Amino acid sequence: MKFSVQQYLFLLLQGLHQANSHYGFPYTVVNGVVSKRWEYIRATTSFAPNYDYSGPQSMCGFNATTPLFPVKTVQVAAGSTIGFAASYMADNRLEEQDFSDFDPAFKMYHDGPATAYLSKAPGELNDYKGDGEWFKIAVVPASDGLHWDYRSDIKMNIMNFTIPAATPPGKYLFRAEHLNVVNGATYKATEMFINCAHIEVTGSGAGTPGPVTHFPGAFNAKDSGIWLPNGLAKPTQPMDELKNWQGAGPKVWKG
Ligand SMILES: *[C@@H]1O[C@H](CO)[C@@H](O)[C@H](O)[C@H]1NC(C)=O
Ligand SMILES: *[C@@H]1O[C@H](CO)[C@@H](O)[C@H](O)[C@H]1NC(C)=O
């Protein structure tokens, strides 16, 4: 096959776009310290958009139901904040074999809500398949009803979530998610970007987290928190649906 210069340029740009239209969260930020890549986050084999709303990849991303290799556990005090720092997809490398440092020049370029969930491990986190109970601890909606708080034009690269002060101490799988609410009514177009950290919540929280759910099973593709109909991606006037967005799955447990 022969390509014209225009076709080459098109393919090149498309390639660049693809390399850029994928991301994940391989680093944690705790007490201002950015981790090494995959130090506390279960490696995923791809940063491509995830559409597996009701399947096994909906829990911790691609091939991360069990750790591809063991990761460490980071301590986070109940009531404090953990950040998930973003990175682009590796070029010419397998994602799970990329151990590069956080590059603050990279910015998230999708607009959409974020959520965080916790699931307590019955034993060691590296053995935990996430098949226990999950509860939601945070949602980041469009506070003004118009612009998603986590969006491209604010040039952000770290999503932050606060762990409720009443969270009982213990070892938890922490699921962080950013959605790209794709414009248009296209059913099953919402892109999920998900990673899970191994954390140990410290402190003396004595709450009873709930309501609980399971992964897979917390979502389905038609859930109104996942499939936002046409116009909600980039509305032109404030909408309560965006302001009060709670996401798919259970209500947030505030402790
Ligand atoms: C999941 O892992 C398998 C086996 O290594 C691999 O073939 C597949 O491409 C992976 N899936 C994704 C979406 O990365
Ligand atoms: C998250 O917290 C870090 C500090 O740890 C800060 O640099 C970053 O801007 C915060 N992200 C957002 C979206 O506010």
Side-chain angles (χ1 to χ4, degrees):
M1 205 191 293
K2 279 199 168 177
F3 292 117
S4 68
V5 172
Q6 284 84 353
Q7 278 170 321
Y8 264 124
L9 273 176
F10 175 77
L11 288 172
L12 182 71
L13 286 172
Q14 211 183 24
L16 285 177
H17 177 72
Q18 276 176 357
N20 279 322
S21 66
H22 302 62
Y23 52 78
F25 303 94
Y27 314 96
T28 57
V29 186
V30 175
N31 297 326
V33 178
V34 182
S35 70
K36 296 283 175 205
R37 197 175 178 103
W38 307 132
E39 187 176 7
Y40 303 114
I41 306 276
R42 283 189 181 181
T44 46
T45 50
S46 174
F47 284 173
N50 186 335
Y51 305 102
D52 190 24
Y53 313 105
S54 49
Q57 324 291 335
S58 67
M59 188 181 79
C60 290
F62 294 110
N63 283 318
T65 305
T66 50
L68 289 172
F69 50 82
V71 299
K72 295 196 285 182
T73 300
V74 63
Q75 289 198 337
V76 192
S80 73
T81 297
I82 177 170
F84 286 78
S87 176
Y88 40 79
M89 192 142 118
D91 286 330
N92 312 318
R93 246 185 305 205
L94 292 174
E95 210 58 62
E96 67 274 25
Q97 291 174 11
D98 179 3
F99 294 100
S100 54
D101 284 337
F102 175 55
D103 176 2
F106 176 74
K107 309 294 177 196
M108 290 162 63
Y109 38 74
H110 291 314
D111 300 354
T115 55
Y117 284 80
L118 285 174
S119 178
K120 198 167 188 178
E124 288 307 312
L125 278 162
N126 280 311
D127 298 332
Y128 183 42
K129 296 194 175 85
D131 48 358
E133 292 177 334
W134 289 82
F135 55 99
K136 192 191 272 179
I137 58 161
V139 299
V140 184
S143 305
D144 63 359
L146 189 56
H147 308 96
W148 294 109
D149 293 6
Y150 286 174
R151 62 181 187 275
S152 50
D153 67 3
I154 59 169
K155 311 264 181 251
M156 60 169 288
N157 50 17
I158 302 173
M159 301 198 292
N160 298 313
F161 302 105
T162 300
I163 297 179
T167 306
K171 291 179 180 170
Y172 291 86
L173 201 50
F174 188 121
R175 176 185 184 278
E177 170 194 71
H178 189 231
L179 298 182
N180 179 21
V181 179
V182 175
N183 219 350
T186 325
Y187 175 53
K188 293 188 173 173
T190 298
E191 301 178 343
M192 301 187 289
F193 298 92
I194 308 164
N195 284 99
C196 286
H198 288 189
I199 73 162
E200 180 173 4
V201 174
T202 61
S204 52
T208 308
V212 296
T213 188
H214 290 88
F215 284 100
F219 307 159
N220 68 64
K222 285 192 173 163
D223 205 306
S224 59
I226 290 275
W227 180 38
L228 291 131
N230 196 14
L232 289 191
K234 290 197 165 62
T236 50
Q237 54 184 26
M239 298 179 77
D240 285 346
E241 257 169 299
L242 266 66
K243 192 171 178 173
N244 303 324
W245 186 88
Q246 286 293 309
K251 281 200 157 46
V252 172
W253 181 70
K254 297 194 167 117

